[in-house]
Amino acid sequence: MDEKRLVETFQWLHRHPELAMEEYKTTDYLRKILQENRVRLLDTGIETGLIAVIGTGKAPVIALRADIDALPIAEQTALPYCSETPGVMHACGHDFHAACMLGAALLLKEREETLSGTVKVIFQPAEEVNLGADRMADTGLLDDVQMFLTGHTDPQYPAGVLGIRPGPVMAAADRFSVCIKGKGCHAAHPEAGVDPIPALGAIISAVQTIVSRQVSPLDSAVVSVTRVEAGNTWNVIPETAFLEGTVRVMTDAVRERIRKSLENQIAHTAKCFGCEAVFQYERGPSPVVNQAEVCKRAEISARELGLRVEVNPPSMIAEDFSRYLRIAPGALFRIGTGGGFDNHHPAFTADPAALLPAARFFAALAERELSQLKA
Ligand code: NI
């Protein structure tokens, strides 16, 4: 796999971003390149995304995972290969991920006879909406995988740097909502009704204390109220008020504690104001927890390839890669891609100079993991 071709692939993907579960052109494009290189593809039964297979077809089996979807963001970069689809952009570097894992797949294909097992390369749709990993995992085609590996672009490091951190690296992301039921009336006669708005205000204040008073200062957690809605005019006390928000944590124990605290505080606070609260809590992706042993081996592979290794800080953003870690252990590494703008920013860019080193790293680590599992 030569670098020029790899960069062209990345740039094509960047020019043709597609939203979650609509990655048709992306899938066709990747499929064509894989087929041209005689890489076997599995029938996933899913319209977008692919699973490629390289190696003996027998155990041990490890997986490399890329996500391929873009975001509903209007691109604001001056790149000569900027998005050709108005309002849609690869602002999270999933174009980079797809090109990188394609590169790794083709590098592994070149030395297929020497592999001591099987590598499944996952091109996963719909990461941004937390759907794709479930879809891919639910096919059952990954049940034999013993180690899952992935990477994510990271603007805090330049090309040539790899962030490796054992333990929790990405948070769980849950969603909660509350509908506060009172009794509507004329705004001039509050005594005739039950105003849900003071209850809403008190709940917003109360839940701010969960992280500071009920979670250990040594644990990471976020409770954010992100949307409130009540009433529609100035002279009517509304019947109901609504709020929703998100909880981010690194462990299931803290997650459960916060869920219970929210439920309690919301129910009791609403009651104080004579209201009733209907509380809903939806679990999103679980935390991504990197296996310590594979992180050590990754560091060796990275250094052998001349990459600089950093211990990256964990992030309170979620990643549906955690779904695969319910099948087998694994790790998510940070790929330095420079650029100066955060992921999901309209000016986000990923430095193509990071592509080939990252592809080589994943190919090398995949080989290392296969020999490790075989031994
Ligand atoms: Ni992303």
Side-chain angles (χ1 to χ4, degrees):
M1 184 74 192
D2 72 293
E3 185 162 22
K4 190 166 161 280
R5 188 74 218 283
L6 192 61
V7 171
E8 280 169 8
T9 305
F10 160 65
Q11 293 177 340
W12 189 95
L13 291 166
H14 193 84
R15 287 207 312 272
H16 301 95
E18 293 174 296
L19 294 174
M21 297 315 291
E22 295 172 11
E23 308 93 337
Y24 296 102
K25 278 188 276 173
T26 307
T27 302
D28 285 346
Y29 181 75
L30 295 168
R31 185 192 293 116
K32 194 166 157 265
I33 299 174
L34 289 162
Q35 283 174 341
E36 273 167 17
N37 286 278
R38 303 175 318 281
V39 176
R40 190 159 74 89
L41 296 171
L42 298 180
D43 181 10
T44 63
I46 305 168
E47 283 185 28
T48 58
L50 297 162
I51 300 177
V53 185
I54 300 140
T56 60
K58 297 193 190 94
V61 183
I62 80 125
L64 300 178
R65 175 273 207 166
D67 41 15
I68 62 171
D69 54 324
L71 286 157
I73 292 176
E75 181 158 348
Q76 289 173 26
T77 72
L79 292 173
Y81 52 92
C82 83
S83 169
E84 291 175 10
T85 309
V88 183
M89 175 193 180
H90 271 297
C92 196
H94 297 188
D95 47 353
F96 183 100
H97 303 161
C100 168
M101 291 311 182
L102 179 75
L106 299 184
L107 286 168
L108 289 165
K109 183 70 187 174
E110 283 168 16
R111 38 193 200 251
E112 189 166 32
E113 326 67 60
T114 67
L115 296 181
S116 48
T118 305
V119 181
K120 293 186 173 173
V121 186
I122 307 163
F123 297 92
Q124 177 207 306
E127 188 277 332
E128 296 292 356
V129 295
N130 300 323
L131 261 181
D134 278 343
R135 295 274 176 101
M136 285 302 198
D138 291 346
T139 59
L141 296 170
L142 302 169
D143 288 352
D144 56 356
V145 174
Q146 291 159 271
M147 176 65 70
F148 287 91
L149 301 168
T150 194
H152 205 291
T153 54
D154 193 331
Q156 73 176 314
Y157 302 124
V161 174
L162 194 78
I164 302 179
R165 182 189 187 89
V169 286
M170 303 287 290
D174 298 344
R175 176 178 179 167
F176 67 92
S177 69
V178 191
C179 184
I180 304 153
K181 293 185 175 164
K183 186 168 169 256
C185 61
H186 197 294
H189 298 292
E191 77 285 1
V194 180
D195 190 349
I197 291 181
L200 178 95
I203 287 171
I204 294 170
S205 298
V207 302
Q208 304 306 316
T209 65
I210 293 177
V211 172
S212 71
R213 303 295 82 188
Q214 301 191 35
V215 174
S216 160
L218 302 177
D219 285 320
S220 309
V222 177
V223 175
S224 292
V225 175
T226 53
R227 189 163 79 94
V228 297
E229 214 177 281
N232 53 18
T233 189
W234 66 286
N235 57 0
V236 177
I237 288 173
E239 187 92 4
T240 60
F242 175 86
L243 69 81
E244 68 177 341
T246 185
V247 172
R248 308 287 169 124
V249 291
M250 289 296 191
T251 69
D252 281 331
V254 176
R255 189 183 210 176
E256 195 42 32
R257 171 124 202 201
I258 292 181
R259 191 195 62 76
K260 275 195 190 135
S261 297
L262 273 172
E263 191 168 14
N264 266 327
Q265 287 200 346
I266 288 167
H268 288 103
T269 309
K271 215 170 166 197
C272 281
F273 290 83
C275 296
E276 190 204 328
V278 181
F279 174 67
Q280 283 188 316
Y281 194 91
E282 248 176 71
R283 277 164 188 272
S286 291
V288 174
V289 182
N290 283 351
Q291 195 206 45
E293 293 75 27
V294 73
C295 287
K296 282 186 203 144
R297 295 190 293 269
E299 197 171 331
I300 299 170
S301 289
R303 290 195 200 284
E304 280 174 2
L305 290 164
L307 289 164
R308 198 175 94 215
V309 174
E310 297 274 352
V311 182
N312 59 286
S315 162
M316 297 311 282
I317 294 173
E319 238 286 359
D320 71 0
F321 179 68
S322 56
R323 172 65 180 87
Y324 302 111
L325 303 184
R326 273 160 45 194
I327 302 173
L332 178 149
F333 306 110
R334 291 277 170 186
I335 306 165
T337 46
F341 290 95
D342 243 337
N343 297 83
H344 294 211
H345 189 283
F348 172 85
T349 56
D351 185 351
L355 262 177
L356 187 61
R360 282 193 180 133
F361 163 74
F362 281 103
L365 184 57
E367 282 185 292
R368 188 181 290 274
E369 288 311 296
L370 287 182
S371 7
Q372 158 82 19
L373 286 163
K374 191 92 181 175

